[in-house]
């Protein structure tokens, strides 16, 4: 006869603070953290007193602070950093050097120097840096990766996220280069690179060329009305469209197209992986826009035959819930150290190289003439 079984150990909840109560902190992270059984929200941090009080009232958060420097030692096991882009790396590094683990919204950094500083802060403080990586947690992207594993070596990947109308917060910080670090390439392109770079394998990216344009960024009709923010009415100085081509040291390539606004009717995301034994293509829509195709589609093509592969149904935003499900184990795993900073370094390097290539330069003959004078 089997004796009584030992009681299961209670599941420890992670005490978490949310720093930054803009759209991402307020709409994506705080409600999900407050509802998740593995997390207890102990504090919110934001310079806006009204935003702090709304968050406390809406989600029963006990404490609120104006700055992460005010967050008491031991008040949280993890801080979710969702401040504006230009503050991401600086705020995260301050916390890491205090020994406070950080989950950092994308873009993790805006320059390679910031990526290096995050890596140094993680090492010196002994706390782990984890990074937002929503696309990898989508069920359809996971199915694409599984299908691509049966295609042999990957030769090329096409990735595109094209919105019909979706310029965020026109005139606000999202469209100011000094605050955002860039436009569609930093915003949508980070998700695309986060998806494509693992598919290309570990070889370094040897060559990058790209172009950017800004035909829609100051067009009021192109704004992302679904975000529920009106912007300031000012003018933006970032790109709304970016295109790039990447080539790795072992010959694999990727073409990328990130676009906040276009002539399309619906927002769409496409990822096509081409291997030596066939190709797979995912057609879906990343993000929260309601102007989307209702159902994602995954197909595989081999020897002239295209078949549709099964995909599980999931609600919009499920990838963020799934990412939270994984966070406690990632937080406790020593192997997580250094991973986010290294991934960010590879991603921002590609973004910086696109911007360098896209920056207008004088024609070669003009430079030669200037040297002759």
């Amino acid at each position: 006869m089997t004796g009584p079984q030992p009681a299961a150990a209670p599941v420890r909840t992670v005490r978490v603070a949310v720093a930054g109560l803009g759209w991402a902190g307020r709409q994506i992270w705080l409600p999900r953290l407050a509802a998740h059984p593995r997390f207890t929200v102990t504090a919110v941090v934001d310079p806006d007193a009204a935003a702090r009080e709304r968050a406390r009232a809406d989600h029963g958060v006990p404490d609120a602070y104006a700055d992460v420097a005010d967050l008491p030692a031991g008040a949280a096991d993890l801080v979710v950093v969702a401040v504006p882009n230009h503050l991401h790396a600086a705020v995260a590094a301050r916390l890491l050097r205090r020994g406070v683990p950080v989950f950092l919204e994308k873009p993790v950094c805006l320059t390679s120097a910031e990526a290096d500083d995050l890596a140094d802060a993680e090492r010196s403080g002994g706390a782990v840096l984890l990074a937002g990586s929503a696309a990898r947690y989508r069920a359809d992207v996971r199915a694409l990766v599984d299908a691509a594993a049966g295609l042999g070596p990957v030769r090329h990947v096409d990735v595109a996220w094209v919105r019909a109308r979706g310029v965020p917060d026109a005139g606000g910080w999202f469209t100011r280069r000094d605050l955002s670090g860039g436009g569609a390439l930093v915003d949508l392109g980070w998700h695309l690179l986060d998806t494509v770079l693992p598919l290309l394998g570990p070889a370094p990216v040897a060559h990058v060329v790209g172009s950017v344009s800004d035909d829609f960024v100051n067009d009021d009709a192109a704004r992302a009305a679904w975000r529920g923010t009106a912007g300031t009415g000012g003018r933006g100085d970032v790109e709304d469209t970016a295109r790039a081509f990447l080539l790795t040291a072992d010959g694999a390539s990727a073409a990328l197209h990130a676009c906040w606004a276009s002539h399309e009717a619906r927002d769409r995301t496409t990822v096509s992986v081409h291997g030596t034994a066939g190709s797979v293509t995912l057609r879906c829509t990343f993000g929260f826009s309601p102007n989307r195709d209702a159902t994602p589609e995954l197909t595989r093509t081999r020897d002239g035959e295209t078949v549709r592969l099964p995909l599980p149904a999931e609600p919009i935003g499920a990838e963020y819930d799934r990412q939270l499900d994984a966070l406690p184990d990632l937080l406790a795993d020593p192997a997580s150290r250094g991973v986010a900073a290294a991934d960010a370094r590879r991603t921002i390097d590609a973004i910086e190289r696109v911007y360098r290539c896209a920056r207008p330069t004088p024609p070669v003959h003009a430079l030669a003439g200037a040297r002759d004078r």
Side-chain angles (χ1 to χ4, degrees):
M1 181 175 178
T2 304
Q5 299 299 307
V11 176
R12 177 177 174 270
T13 60
V14 176
R15 297 170 306 142
V16 62
V18 176
L21 296 173
W23 186 84
R26 190 178 66 249
Q27 298 292 333
I28 297 178
W29 297 115
L30 187 54
R32 285 177 166 81
L33 286 162
H36 199 288
R38 296 293 307 276
F39 297 92
T40 300
V41 182
T42 58
V44 291
V45 182
D46 196 278
D48 185 335
R52 296 196 302 269
E53 291 311 307
R54 282 195 302 271
R56 292 185 66 188
D58 290 346
H59 301 288
V61 180
D63 295 308
Y65 305 96
D67 190 276
V68 292
D70 303 324
L71 190 68
D77 305 311
L78 179 71
V79 178
V80 172
V81 174
V83 295
N85 288 4
H86 71 293
L87 299 174
H88 277 193
V91 170
R94 287 166 62 194
L95 289 163
L96 290 167
R97 288 193 167 94
R98 287 175 54 190
V100 181
V102 169
F103 174 80
L104 182 53
E105 247 286 29
K106 67 84 193 165
V108 172
C109 55
L110 299 181
T111 65
S112 295
E114 287 186 348
D116 293 340
D117 188 54
L118 285 169
D120 177 74
E122 186 181 31
R123 287 190 299 268
S124 62
V128 67
L129 171 67
L130 303 173
S133 187
R136 296 193 200 182
Y137 286 86
R138 290 179 60 99
D140 48 14
V141 170
R142 289 184 167 188
L144 169 83
V145 172
D146 289 343
L151 300 179
V154 171
R155 300 306 190 200
H156 180 74
V157 183
D158 284 298
V159 289
W161 185 352
V162 177
R163 289 178 180 167
R165 282 177 289 278
V167 177
D169 305 346
W173 72 260
F174 242 108
T175 56
R176 284 181 51 185
R177 187 172 301 278
D178 60 328
L179 301 181
S180 63
L185 180 60
V186 171
D187 181 30
L188 309 185
W190 191 284
H191 288 289
L192 296 179
L193 287 165
D194 194 50
T195 303
V196 73
L197 289 174
L199 291 167
L200 293 179
V205 176
H207 303 285
V208 177
V209 294
S211 65
V212 297
S213 57
D214 58 359
D215 299 319
F216 300 96
V217 71
N218 291 306
D219 182 350
D220 288 346
R223 293 186 177 187
W226 52 270
R227 282 178 58 97
T229 50
T232 66
R235 293 187 63 80
D237 61 352
V238 298
E239 81 284 351
D240 53 59
T241 301
R243 296 174 175 86
F245 191 87
L246 288 68
L247 182 66
T248 71
D250 60 5
S253 60
L256 179 146
H257 182 194
C259 193
W260 272 343
S262 68
H263 304 294
E264 300 291 327
R266 286 191 178 90
D267 298 358
R268 63 173 174 84
T269 307
T270 307
V271 185
S272 294
V273 184
H274 304 269
T276 57
S279 64
V280 289
T281 298
L282 173 64
R283 296 176 178 86
C284 62
T285 307
F286 284 4
F288 292 91
S289 169
N291 183 28
R292 61 199 301 124
D293 290 331
T295 306
E297 179 183 272
L298 180 65
T299 57
R300 181 182 63 218
T301 301
R302 284 178 176 162
D303 299 325
E305 181 183 9
T306 299
V307 298
R308 188 164 179 169
L309 302 179
L311 283 176
E314 65 176 1
I316 294 173
E319 61 269 32
Y320 294 94
D321 297 308
R322 197 171 290 116
Q323 194 166 193
L324 288 185
D325 292 341
L327 270 186
D329 290 340
L330 291 172
L331 183 62
D333 186 356
S336 298
R337 298 283 178 89
V339 173
D343 286 350
R345 186 65 165 78
R346 193 181 190 205
T347 299
I348 196 61
D349 175 70
I351 288 172
E352 287 178 319
R353 290 161 77 179
V354 172
Y355 281 138
R356 285 198 296 269
C357 179
R359 186 181 300 127
T361 56
V364 173
H365 63 80
L367 293 173
R371 284 193 298 268
D372 292 341
R373 286 196 293 273

